[in-house]
Amino acid sequence: MTAGRIYVPGAQPSRSRNGGAVVAYMNFYINETSTPKVVYADSGLTTPLSQPVTSDDAGRFVLIWADAGTDIAPNLYAVEWDTSDGQSATWDDIRPSTVAPAT
């Protein structure tokens, strides 16, 4: 397996409707389904994260690692995002990046 980071723009870090900090939750699924899919706390893909993955009080999530697959058959994920102030969104076709995003 090839490890990659999952990063969801707009959800990481999560913000309240007025731009402040908010606690958020993300669940991960097989792309375009409601079947849960494992994500990991480490690049070795050995420590599964409990779902939902919960942010800290500032809306920041731990690093989320997943199987990136290969160029021929990428592993795609669906991500469901909810916040403590009632926001929600779903993204399909999320591919783990083998290059960490700039901070």
Side-chain angles (χ1 to χ4, degrees), residues 7-16 20-22 24 55-56 58-61 81:
Y7 177 76
V8 183
Q12 292 174 276
S14 296
R15 294 289 174 245
S16 68
V22 66
S55 74
D56 63 15
R60 296 177 302 228
F61 287 91
W81 172 80

Side-chain angles (χ1 to χ4, degrees), residues 30-94:
I30 294 172
N31 197 47
E32 298 181 355
T33 75
S34 59
T35 304
K37 192 166 184 177
V38 178
V39 292
Y40 299 89
D42 62 298
S43 63
L45 307 179
T46 60
T47 307
L49 287 167
S50 296
Q51 293 196 46
V53 179
T54 304
S55 74
D56 63 15
D57 290 342
R60 296 177 302 228
F61 287 91
V62 297
L63 295 181
I64 300 169
W65 293 90
D67 182 5
T70 66
D71 289 335
I72 297 169
N75 271 330
L76 298 177
Y77 291 73
V79 180
E80 183 179 87
W81 172 80
D82 298 287
T83 66
S84 57
D85 70 346
Q87 299 176 79
S88 64
T90 301
W91 291 270
D92 286 314
D93 302 323
I94 299 294

